[in-house]
């Protein structure tokens, strides 16, 4: 194992999830879990996570039309939306208040102060995840739905 040539032979087969994913916990019955393990053991899936991700993607694809209509009706930005300090300062200079509505990931830059966030963000609706500092999240708590 201490042979430096061994490290040259190591290749990552599948990239680890990074900043574009969120970890969740689900409770499954033992029989359902056993069925998943059987499918993994028989080679249909590489592991439990692969099975669960595939099942979720299949359900999302199955309901894609309904989700699209709902996203449009609610005026949600789809995907990743980042708000920089410059974006918020420009809104403040223009006398505008932002209504953040995102399906995916909304992020507020780490250099945004709680005061700037409160002065420029009127409401926050995020279906997915919101990445912002704890102080900014606390400052916007009453504006989140």
């Amino acid at each position: 194992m201490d042979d430096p040539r061994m490290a040259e032979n190591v290749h990552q087969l599948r990239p680890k999830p990074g900043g574009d994913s969120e970890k969740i916990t689900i409770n499954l019955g033992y029989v359902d879990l056993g069925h998943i393990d059987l499918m993994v053991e028989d080679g249909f899936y590489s592991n439990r996570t692969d099975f669960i991700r595939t099942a979720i993607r299949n359900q999302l694809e199955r309901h894609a039309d309904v989700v699209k209509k709902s996203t449009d009706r609610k005026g949600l930005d789809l995907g990743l939306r980042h708000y920089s300090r410059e974006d918020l300062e420009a809104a403040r200079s223009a006398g505008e208040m932002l209504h953040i509505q995102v399906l995916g990931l909304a992020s507020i830059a780490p250099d945004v102060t709680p005061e700037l966030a409160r002065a420029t963000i009127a409401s926050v609706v995020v279906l997915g995840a919101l990445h912002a500092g704890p102080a900014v999240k606390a400052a916007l708590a009453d504006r989140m739905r």
Side-chain angles (χ1 to χ4, degrees), residues 70-114:
S70 184
T71 301
D72 291 344
R73 185 179 69 252
K74 294 179 181 191
L76 297 168
D77 290 335
L78 182 62
L80 170 67
R81 182 68 168 93
H82 179 72
Y83 296 89
S84 68
R85 182 175 48 87
E86 292 79 16
D87 294 333
L88 299 184
E89 287 173 346
R92 181 171 55 189
S93 294
E96 297 175 356
M97 294 292 286
L98 301 176
H99 296 275
I100 296 174
Q101 299 185 117
V102 175
L103 188 152
L105 172 65
S107 66
I108 299 174
D111 61 349
V112 170
T113 65

Side-chain angles (χ1 to χ4, degrees), residues 24-38:
I24 64 169
T25 301
I26 60 171
N27 295 320
L28 290 175
Y30 298 118
V31 173
D32 290 339
L33 194 56
H35 282 116
I36 294 169
D37 287 344
L38 182 62

Side-chain angles (χ1 to χ4, degrees), residues 10-45:
V10 175
H11 301 284
Q12 187 173 347
L13 297 177
R14 183 180 297 192
K16 291 183 178 181
D20 65 340
S21 67
E22 187 85 12
K23 190 172 197 171
I24 64 169
T25 301
I26 60 171
N27 295 320
L28 290 175
Y30 298 118
V31 173
D32 290 339
L33 194 56
H35 282 116
I36 294 169
D37 287 344
L38 182 62
M39 299 287 284
V40 169
E41 188 176 286
D42 286 349
F44 289 98
Y45 300 94

